[in-house]
Amino acid sequence: MSNAPTFGLSSAALARCLPFAVFMLLLGLRGALPVSESLDPRWVYGLSVFVVGGMLAWYWREYGELARQNLPSAREALLSVAVGLAVFGLWIHLDAAWMQIGEPTASFLPLDLQGQKIWPLIALRWVGAALIVPVMEELFWRSFLMRWIASPQFQTVDPRAVGLKAIVLSTFVFMLAHTLWLAAIVAGLAYAWLYMRTGKLWTAVIAHAVTNGVLGIWVVITGQWQFW
């Protein structure tokens, strides 16, 4: 009997895949909407944050890996913060032309016609990137996909025991979802390493949140909007 992974529409799989799929769908909608005085597609990101945040709350009981008993220790949390800061430091420097795949995506530019910052847009973007996206993405990329590649019964897979195939393939797919492919590989491997080392998804979520949160602050301060 074949041991090859087969996708199943179990409630556990749906709970980890649907928020990510809806988020990507809404991002695609934002890119397809025409810009006009009466319609600003940038606000679709706020809708994405609201919808996906609601979906995560709805499915929260499905996420046993994020239950209270799986919270990291103080030492593990500090390690996660350190890894998140290191990924941020590398991310903003891994942007050479050969480190990019495909055409550069349009950056999120929260400025008005006079070049002034639109703070509600900035706040929505930061909240989404630092608080919602890390939970959503780690549930999909690491907790689901990486373990599903190891076994269709992904919930039975101990993250500390996933094989090289699962790590490489899940990181490769994660890379394809980003323009900065080398930075994405570094980030994907770093978050996967934390999950595997501790066996706790919260460590990957914290590192991811630190990376995104600090990146957002840095972008607003420096005006390097292409990283956002």
Side-chain angles (χ1 to χ4, degrees):
M1 185 173 184
S2 175
N3 292 320
T6 56
F7 184 77
L9 296 179
S10 66
S11 61
L14 286 173
R16 290 158 181 80
C17 295
L18 277 181
F20 180 80
V22 169
F23 186 78
M24 297 304 293
L25 179 64
L26 289 173
L27 286 187
L29 175 64
R30 188 192 79 188
L33 289 174
V35 179
S36 67
E37 293 183 1
S38 60
L39 179 64
D40 188 340
R42 292 176 297 182
W43 290 102
V44 173
Y45 191 90
L47 174 64
S48 306
V49 170
F50 177 79
V51 171
V52 173
M55 293 180 71
L56 292 174
W58 177 266
Y59 283 123
W60 194 258
R61 291 185 180 180
E62 291 276 1
Y63 306 141
E65 60 270 58
L66 296 179
R68 183 175 299 177
Q69 63 267 26
N70 291 321
L71 288 171
S73 65
R75 184 175 181 178
E76 291 168 338
L78 286 174
L79 175 62
S80 302
V81 171
V83 170
L85 290 173
V87 171
F88 158 73
L90 291 171
W91 190 281
I92 62 176
H93 290 97
L94 297 177
D95 63 336
W98 67 271
M99 300 176 185
Q100 302 181 31
I101 184 171
E103 293 296 326
T105 56
S107 60
F108 188 85
L109 191 64
L111 304 177
D112 60 22
L113 295 177
Q114 288 72 44
Q116 299 299 309
K117 296 181 178 71
I118 306 174
W119 288 106
L121 273 176
I122 290 173
L124 279 172
R125 177 71 172 188
W126 191 89
V127 168
L131 302 181
I132 303 299
V133 168
V135 176
M136 173 197 73
E137 289 207 349
E138 292 310 312
L139 282 168
F140 176 74
W141 292 113
R142 253 63 66 178
S143 180
F144 171 69
L145 185 61
M146 187 173 76
R147 293 194 296 166
W148 176 76
I149 291 172
S151 169
Q153 289 75 42
F154 70 95
Q155 288 181 290
T156 67
V157 177
D158 187 333
R160 291 164 291 196
V162 299
L164 182 62
K165 173 186 173 182
I167 300 167
V168 171
L169 287 181
S170 61
T171 301
F172 176 75
V173 180
F174 181 73
M175 175 203 76
L176 294 178
H178 297 78
T179 301
L180 299 176
W181 65 268
L182 185 55
I185 288 177
V186 170
L189 290 176
Y191 304 150
W193 175 78
L194 277 171
Y195 188 29
M196 294 170 61
R197 185 182 189 277
T198 64
K200 299 174 180 178
L201 188 65
W202 273 117
T203 56
V205 171
I206 291 171
H208 201 150
V210 168
T211 300
N212 287 6
V214 175
L215 179 63
I217 295 171
W218 177 83
V219 164
V220 172
I221 292 173
T222 63
Q224 301 294 314
W225 303 108
Q226 69 273 16
F227 285 96
W228 229 17

Tab-separated table of all heavy atoms in Angstrom, residues 91-92 95 100 104-110 125 179-180 215 218-220 222-228:
chain	number	residue	atom	x	y	z
A	91	TRP	N	16.898	39.381	6.362
A	91	TRP	CA	15.867	39.656	5.351
A	91	TRP	C	16.122	40.979	4.636
A	91	TRP	O	16.010	41.060	3.406
A	91	TRP	CB	14.497	39.665	6.016
A	91	TRP	CG	13.351	39.711	5.055
A	91	TRP	CD1	12.864	40.807	4.396
A	91	TRP	CD2	12.552	38.599	4.614
A	91	TRP	NE1	11.813	40.461	3.584
A	91	TRP	CE2	11.599	39.108	3.700
A	91	TRP	CE3	12.541	37.232	4.923
A	91	TRP	CZ2	10.648	38.289	3.093
A	91	TRP	CZ3	11.606	36.425	4.318
A	91	TRP	CH2	10.674	36.949	3.410
A	92	ILE	N	16.454	42.027	5.370
A	92	ILE	CA	16.600	43.353	4.754
A	92	ILE	C	17.900	43.485	3.968
A	92	ILE	O	18.107	44.497	3.288
A	92	ILE	CB	16.498	44.477	5.802
A	92	ILE	CG1	17.625	44.362	6.835
A	92	ILE	CG2	15.130	44.465	6.463
A	92	ILE	CD1	17.642	45.504	7.846
A	95	ASP	N	18.362	41.187	-0.613
A	95	ASP	CA	17.447	41.755	-1.604
A	95	ASP	C	18.129	42.090	-2.926
A	95	ASP	O	17.601	42.864	-3.727
A	95	ASP	CB	16.785	43.018	-1.041
A	95	ASP	CG	17.797	44.119	-0.749
A	95	ASP	OD1	18.983	43.818	-0.534
A	95	ASP	OD2	17.392	45.297	-0.730
A	100	GLN	N	16.050	37.519	-5.992
A	100	GLN	CA	14.617	37.688	-6.191
A	100	GLN	C	14.136	36.755	-7.292
A	100	GLN	O	14.863	36.459	-8.236
A	100	GLN	CB	14.296	39.138	-6.568
A	100	GLN	CG	14.750	40.149	-5.541
A	100	GLN	CD	14.406	41.580	-5.928
A	100	GLN	OE1	13.403	41.815	-6.587
A	100	GLN	NE2	15.246	42.522	-5.536
A	104	PRO	N	9.180	41.862	-9.134
A	104	PRO	CA	8.937	42.382	-7.784
A	104	PRO	C	7.464	42.706	-7.596
A	104	PRO	O	6.822	43.273	-8.471
A	104	PRO	CB	9.788	43.666	-7.735
A	104	PRO	CG	10.830	43.469	-8.787
A	104	PRO	CD	10.162	42.680	-9.878
A	105	THR	N	6.928	42.296	-6.448
A	105	THR	CA	5.530	42.584	-6.171
A	105	THR	C	5.364	44.037	-5.737
A	105	THR	O	6.294	44.645	-5.214
A	105	THR	CB	5.002	41.663	-5.052
A	105	THR	OG1	5.849	41.815	-3.901
A	105	THR	CG2	5.014	40.216	-5.482
A	106	ALA	N	4.187	44.576	-5.993
A	106	ALA	CA	3.933	45.960	-5.592
A	106	ALA	C	3.960	46.059	-4.069
A	106	ALA	O	3.365	45.252	-3.369
A	106	ALA	CB	2.579	46.406	-6.124
A	107	SER	N	4.686	47.027	-3.555
A	107	SER	CA	4.778	47.184	-2.112
A	107	SER	C	3.510	47.823	-1.572
A	107	SER	O	2.733	48.431	-2.304
A	107	SER	CB	5.989	48.051	-1.757
A	107	SER	OG	5.866	49.333	-2.341
A	108	PHE	N	3.312	47.666	-0.291
A	108	PHE	CA	2.179	48.281	0.382
A	108	PHE	C	2.601	49.702	0.729
A	108	PHE	O	3.452	49.913	1.590
A	108	PHE	CB	1.839	47.488	1.639
A	108	PHE	CG	0.567	47.915	2.304
A	108	PHE	CD1	-0.646	47.396	1.880
A	108	PHE	CD2	0.575	48.813	3.360
A	108	PHE	CE1	-1.834	47.764	2.499
A	108	PHE	CE2	-0.602	49.188	3.980
A	108	PHE	CZ	-1.810	48.665	3.552
A	109	LEU	N	2.043	50.672	0.061
A	109	LEU	CA	2.473	52.058	0.193
A	109	LEU	C	1.391	52.877	0.899
A	109	LEU	O	0.470	53.379	0.261
A	109	LEU	CB	2.775	52.645	-1.190
A	109	LEU	CG	3.476	54.006	-1.234
A	109	LEU	CD1	4.869	53.912	-0.619
A	109	LEU	CD2	3.578	54.488	-2.684
A	110	PRO	N	1.496	53.052	2.212
A	110	PRO	CA	0.449	53.757	2.962
A	110	PRO	C	0.671	55.269	2.989
A	110	PRO	O	0.777	55.887	4.048
A	110	PRO	CB	0.585	53.149	4.362
A	110	PRO	CG	2.043	52.855	4.473
A	110	PRO	CD	2.510	52.480	3.091
A	125	ARG	N	-1.821	47.378	8.732
A	125	ARG	CA	-0.783	46.543	8.134
A	125	ARG	C	0.086	45.914	9.215
A	125	ARG	O	0.404	44.724	9.156
A	125	ARG	CB	0.076	47.403	7.196
A	125	ARG	CG	1.245	46.665	6.550
A	125	ARG	CD	0.774	45.677	5.517
A	125	ARG	NE	1.887	45.109	4.784
A	125	ARG	CZ	1.774	44.326	3.727
A	125	ARG	NH1	0.583	44.022	3.265
A	125	ARG	NH2	2.843	43.843	3.119
A	179	THR	N	8.811	36.843	-3.103
A	179	THR	CA	9.687	37.378	-4.146
A	179	THR	C	11.149	37.219	-3.755
A	179	THR	O	11.985	36.847	-4.584
A	179	THR	CB	9.370	38.863	-4.403
A	179	THR	OG1	8.012	38.971	-4.808
A	179	THR	CG2	10.265	39.426	-5.498
A	180	LEU	N	11.482	37.511	-2.509
A	180	LEU	CA	12.860	37.376	-2.021
A	180	LEU	C	13.093	35.918	-1.633
A	180	LEU	O	12.964	35.522	-0.477
A	180	LEU	CB	13.095	38.316	-0.834
A	180	LEU	CG	12.924	39.809	-1.111
A	180	LEU	CD1	13.102	40.614	0.165
A	180	LEU	CD2	13.924	40.279	-2.170
A	215	LEU	N	10.258	44.368	11.300
A	215	LEU	CA	10.347	44.792	9.906
A	215	LEU	C	9.372	45.938	9.633
A	215	LEU	O	9.732	46.921	8.961
A	215	LEU	CB	10.043	43.614	8.975
A	215	LEU	CG	10.068	43.915	7.472
A	215	LEU	CD1	11.466	44.349	7.042
A	215	LEU	CD2	9.614	42.698	6.670
A	218	TRP	N	10.716	49.116	11.165
A	218	TRP	CA	11.882	49.567	10.402
A	218	TRP	C	11.460	50.205	9.082
A	218	TRP	O	11.993	51.246	8.689
A	218	TRP	CB	12.810	48.384	10.152
A	218	TRP	CG	14.014	48.689	9.328
A	218	TRP	CD1	15.199	49.238	9.747
A	218	TRP	CD2	14.167	48.467	7.923
A	218	TRP	NE1	16.073	49.355	8.705
A	218	TRP	CE2	15.467	48.901	7.565
A	218	TRP	CE3	13.340	47.930	6.929
A	218	TRP	CZ2	15.951	48.812	6.267
A	218	TRP	CZ3	13.826	47.845	5.639
A	218	TRP	CH2	15.106	48.288	5.314
A	219	VAL	N	10.487	49.598	8.415
A	219	VAL	CA	10.002	50.135	7.143
A	219	VAL	C	9.396	51.523	7.329
A	219	VAL	O	9.663	52.444	6.549
A	219	VAL	CB	8.967	49.171	6.511
A	219	VAL	CG1	8.174	49.870	5.423
A	219	VAL	CG2	9.650	47.936	5.951
A	220	VAL	N	8.583	51.686	8.361
A	220	VAL	CA	7.939	52.980	8.602
A	220	VAL	C	8.989	54.048	8.926
A	220	VAL	O	8.901	55.193	8.464
A	220	VAL	CB	6.914	52.869	9.742
A	220	VAL	CG1	6.380	54.245	10.129
A	220	VAL	CG2	5.762	51.959	9.337
A	222	THR	N	12.298	54.039	8.095
A	222	THR	CA	13.254	54.273	7.004
A	222	THR	C	12.587	54.637	5.687
A	222	THR	O	13.242	55.184	4.788
A	222	THR	CB	14.127	53.033	6.775
A	222	THR	OG1	13.290	51.938	6.349
A	222	THR	CG2	14.875	52.650	8.050
A	223	GLY	N	11.302	54.321	5.547
A	223	GLY	CA	10.626	54.570	4.281
A	223	GLY	C	10.976	53.564	3.201
A	223	GLY	O	10.695	53.789	2.014
A	224	GLN	N	11.541	52.417	3.584
A	224	GLN	CA	11.867	51.358	2.613
A	224	GLN	C	10.621	50.497	2.361
A	224	GLN	O	10.567	49.330	2.703
A	224	GLN	CB	13.027	50.496	3.157
A	224	GLN	CG	14.301	51.252	3.433
A	224	GLN	CD	14.925	51.793	2.163
A	224	GLN	OE1	15.038	51.095	1.154
A	224	GLN	NE2	15.363	53.048	2.199
A	225	TRP	N	9.642	51.118	1.727
A	225	TRP	CA	8.337	50.476	1.581
A	225	TRP	C	8.377	49.217	0.732
A	225	TRP	O	7.465	48.364	0.813
A	225	TRP	CB	7.337	51.462	0.965
A	225	TRP	CG	7.204	52.728	1.751
A	225	TRP	CD1	7.663	53.965	1.402
A	225	TRP	CD2	6.590	52.895	3.031
A	225	TRP	NE1	7.371	54.880	2.376
A	225	TRP	CE2	6.693	54.251	3.387
A	225	TRP	CE3	5.933	52.013	3.908
A	225	TRP	CZ2	6.202	54.763	4.582
A	225	TRP	CZ3	5.423	52.523	5.094
A	225	TRP	CH2	5.560	53.875	5.428
A	226	GLN	N	9.430	49.033	-0.082
A	226	GLN	CA	9.488	47.847	-0.943
A	226	GLN	C	9.567	46.550	-0.144
A	226	GLN	O	9.289	45.467	-0.662
A	226	GLN	CB	10.686	47.924	-1.898
A	226	GLN	CG	12.059	47.794	-1.260
A	226	GLN	CD	12.617	49.108	-0.767
A	226	GLN	OE1	11.905	50.093	-0.615
A	226	GLN	NE2	13.926	49.150	-0.545
A	227	PHE	N	9.930	46.640	1.134
A	227	PHE	CA	10.006	45.447	1.966
A	227	PHE	C	8.658	45.115	2.598
A	227	PHE	O	8.536	44.131	3.319
A	227	PHE	CB	11.043	45.635	3.085
A	227	PHE	CG	12.465	45.539	2.596
A	227	PHE	CD1	13.189	46.668	2.278
A	227	PHE	CD2	13.063	44.298	2.458
A	227	PHE	CE1	14.491	46.576	1.832
A	227	PHE	CE2	14.380	44.199	2.017
A	227	PHE	CZ	15.081	45.338	1.700
A	228	TRP	N	7.655	45.938	2.341
A	228	TRP	CA	6.358	45.744	2.956
A	228	TRP	C	5.328	45.384	1.920
A	228	TRP	O	4.195	45.293	2.118
A	228	TRP	CB	5.953	47.023	3.698
A	228	TRP	CG	5.492	46.734	5.086
A	228	TRP	CD1	5.692	45.588	5.825
A	228	TRP	CD2	4.733	47.600	5.944
A	228	TRP	NE1	5.126	45.693	7.073
A	228	TRP	CE2	4.530	46.936	7.170
A	228	TRP	CE3	4.234	48.873	5.795
A	228	TRP	CZ2	3.826	47.492	8.226
A	228	TRP	CZ3	3.554	49.439	6.862
A	228	TRP	CH2	3.341	48.762	8.062
